[in-house]
């Protein structure tokens, strides 16, 4: 994570709302996180082998939009184990 308040350059990312290139990083965990939060695994070894990705939350200095500058759509492969129902929420 960069110094709070610093403007960071996201070479492959511009703001998806206003196309500005100046963002401030506000959160970045030290390790990668699971790419899916709602995938149902058959066993513990499968869950531990889950696809992971980086999170770098940045706020756009142009319009204030908050987004994950490290988002990698190639990591998202939906399949039968994906469960996102909201029946009981």
């Amino acid at each position: 994570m960069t110094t709070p308040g610093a403007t960071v350059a996201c070479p492959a990312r511009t703001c998806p709302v206003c196309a500005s290139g100046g963002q401030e990083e506000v959160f970045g965990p030290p390790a990668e996180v699971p790419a899916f939060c709602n995938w149902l695994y058959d066993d513990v070894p499968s869950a531990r082998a889950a696809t992971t990705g980086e999170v770098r939350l940045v706020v756009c200095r142009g319009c204030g939009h908050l987004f994950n500058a490290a988002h990698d759509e190639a990591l998202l492969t939906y399949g039968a184990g994906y469960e996102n129902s909201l029946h009981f929420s």
Side-chain angles (χ1 to χ4, degrees):
M1 185 165 159
T2 58
T3 304
T7 298
V8 295
C10 300
R13 290 273 183 224
T14 57
C15 175
V17 174
C18 74
S20 169
Q23 294 94 28
E24 175 184 340
E25 185 170 346
V26 294
F27 178 75
E32 291 192 343
V33 298
F36 287 101
C37 64
N38 41 1
W39 191 277
L40 302 178
Y41 295 96
D42 293 328
D43 52 51
V44 172
S46 296
R48 288 189 174 142
T51 301
T52 60
E54 184 182 355
V55 174
R56 281 188 55 228
L57 293 183
V58 298
V59 63
C60 174
R61 289 189 180 259
C63 70
H65 180 65
L66 180 73
F67 65 101
N68 180 9
H71 175 74
D72 182 357
E73 195 167 328
L75 297 176
L76 305 178
T77 304
Y78 295 91
Y82 182 77
E83 172 56 50
N84 196 31
S85 65
L86 302 173
H87 300 339
F88 303 103
S89 64

